[in-house]
Every structure is written in C-alpha cells, then in structure tokens.
Amino acid sequence: MKLVLIEAIPLLGQAICQSIESRTDNKIGYYATNLQNLESVLQELQPDILWLDTTIPQVRDGSALQSIHKRFPGLKILLFGMEETVPEIRKYFKQGIWAYLPKTADSADIEAALSYIEAGELYVPASLNKTIASWLTDPVRKKKPGCKLTHREQEILQLIVEEFTTNEIAQKLYISHCTVETHRINLTQKLGVKNTAGLVREAVQRELCSY
C-alpha cells in the first residue's frame, strides 16, 4: 500500500517512515509536518492510507477529517495521537477513521494497524483500551440487525443510557411510573437483553442513542 504521512515532529515522522518501509511492504509516497498542500498531494498520489497526527489542530477538531472524507471518500485514515480515553478515540472512529495508534505505539503496533487496514478491518491496540478494541473490532457488532423503536421508546432508551431513574423519566416525560416500566420491558425484549446494563450496552453498540 502507498501512504501519505503527516507528522508534526520531524524526527518522529522520519523514524516512522523508516520503520514502515523497512519492516513492511508499504511505501511512503509523501511525508510532511503540516497539512499545507495536502489535498493536491492526495489528488496526485491517490494513496491507500493517510496517516495524520492528532496534535495538528485541524485534525484534532475534526475539520480536516471532514474535508478529506468529502474530497476523497475511499481514503483510509490512520490517526496517531495522545488521546487515551474511550470517548475521545470513539469520536474519531465515528468521524470515519480506520485505525488509531497512540504515540507510545511500537513497530509491532504499526505493522498490525497497517495489516488490519489492508484487510478492511478497523484497528486500535488492545493494550490501549481493551473495551474499545472489542467494540471496534467485534464483527458481531457490525452484523447485528437493526431494531425498530418507537419515538417514545427511543426517548426512554436515551434517558436510561443517561442514567435517569424510572421516576425521573416519568416526571421528565409526563407519563406514569408504570408506563415507563412497560416501555423498559418492551425495550429489553426488542434488544434481547435481561437488564438495564444490557440495554445500555446494546444501545451503544447498535448506535441507537448518543453517549
């Protein structure tokens, strides 16, 4: 595969380029420390993978990702950054990246990430966060059928995920405690779970709510 690599720290960027080309069959088509002329480079080289440093402000705030996806929808993006929390990293995957590597990654992590991308799979090192690694790479999650919920069920599911109690949900939606419990039972049946923890897990995995 051909890569375009953007890394803000020159010595680190050069080391990454050398590691990739010496340890894998992939080639670095272009390397820079900033996003200047990036779109013209992508247009000319048509790379398979774009490696981006999240310390670059336009990458971190998502504006660069949005622009790149619009112009080059088939391009696979790998982010290299310092974020280590599930919400931060999941945010990037929701923006369409294919892999995330922390700046503490070693050569084996880099090789694994490139192999996963080449195979058409998402990647994040299990050593970084086993929970998010499972969430991202679990093929079952991707194949789960959609679940049709009513507008009221969606409202209640969202509030359950946000940790509102049954009484609080009833007060917030101006409905009775029993009505909330009925909806909760229906939701557990529709999502095939046994309890509130299962509801939250399935709601997040199936992206039925914001979290």
Side-chain angles (χ1 to χ4, degrees):
M1 296 182 294
K2 184 188 299 182
L3 284 79
V4 164
L5 193 146
I6 309 297
E7 166 55 51
I9 303 174
L11 287 177
L12 181 55
Q14 292 165 15
I16 293 169
C17 290
Q18 183 177 5
S19 177
I20 290 174
E21 293 200 326
S22 64
R23 297 176 64 95
T24 74
D25 294 328
N26 304 293
K27 301 297 180 183
I28 305 298
Y30 176 85
Y31 163 66
T33 58
N34 55 60
L35 301 181
Q36 187 175 0
N37 301 321
L38 177 60
E39 290 197 359
S40 60
V41 169
L42 295 178
Q43 185 66 43
E44 179 182 352
L45 296 181
Q46 296 292 311
D48 302 291
I49 298 175
L50 172 61
W51 176 303
L52 291 175
D53 178 2
T54 66
T55 64
I56 298 172
Q58 301 96 313
V59 177
R60 189 174 183 84
D61 66 19
S63 59
L65 297 179
Q66 183 178 8
S67 175
I68 292 167
H69 281 308
K70 186 176 181 180
R71 289 286 306 277
F72 309 95
L75 181 60
K76 297 177 179 179
I77 297 177
L78 181 155
L79 291 191
F80 189 56
M82 301 176 66
E83 297 80 7
E84 293 191 2
T85 67
V86 170
E88 288 178 310
I89 299 171
R90 282 188 55 198
K91 175 192 71 176
Y92 290 129
F93 278 94
K94 286 188 174 183
Q95 292 171 340
I97 71 167
W98 279 73
Y100 180 89
L101 287 173
K103 296 240 172 178
T104 55
D106 57 21
S107 297
D109 288 325
I110 294 174
E111 290 178 49
L114 296 178
S115 295
Y116 268 72
I117 294 174
E118 186 174 12
E121 299 180 13
L122 305 178
Y123 181 82
V124 65
S127 59
L128 178 66
N129 190 296
K130 291 183 179 179
T131 300
I132 194 168
S134 175
W135 184 86
L136 290 170
T137 59
D138 179 11
V140 175
R141 179 188 67 82
K142 300 175 186 178
K143 295 177 182 178
K144 283 183 178 178
C147 182
K148 292 184 179 181
L149 303 180
T150 66
H151 177 69
R152 180 63 82 189
E153 286 172 340
Q154 289 177 332
E155 285 182 317
I156 292 175
L157 182 59
Q158 180 65 48
L159 292 172
I160 290 172
V161 171
E162 293 174 5
E163 301 184 23
F164 283 87
T165 66
T166 296
N167 286 335
E168 289 171 337
I169 294 173
Q171 293 173 6
K172 192 174 185 66
L173 299 181
Y174 302 102
I175 56 179
S176 71
H177 178 283
C178 290
T179 300
V180 175
E181 282 301 310
T182 298
H183 283 300
R184 186 189 292 270
I185 292 171
N186 290 338
L187 284 167
T188 59
Q189 292 176 344
K190 284 188 175 183
L191 297 181
V193 298
K194 297 179 180 179
N195 51 38
T196 300
L199 278 178
V200 173
R201 183 190 67 246
E202 289 297 308
V204 173
Q205 289 184 344
R206 300 191 191 198
E207 298 184 349
L208 297 172
C209 64
S210 56
Y211 183 64

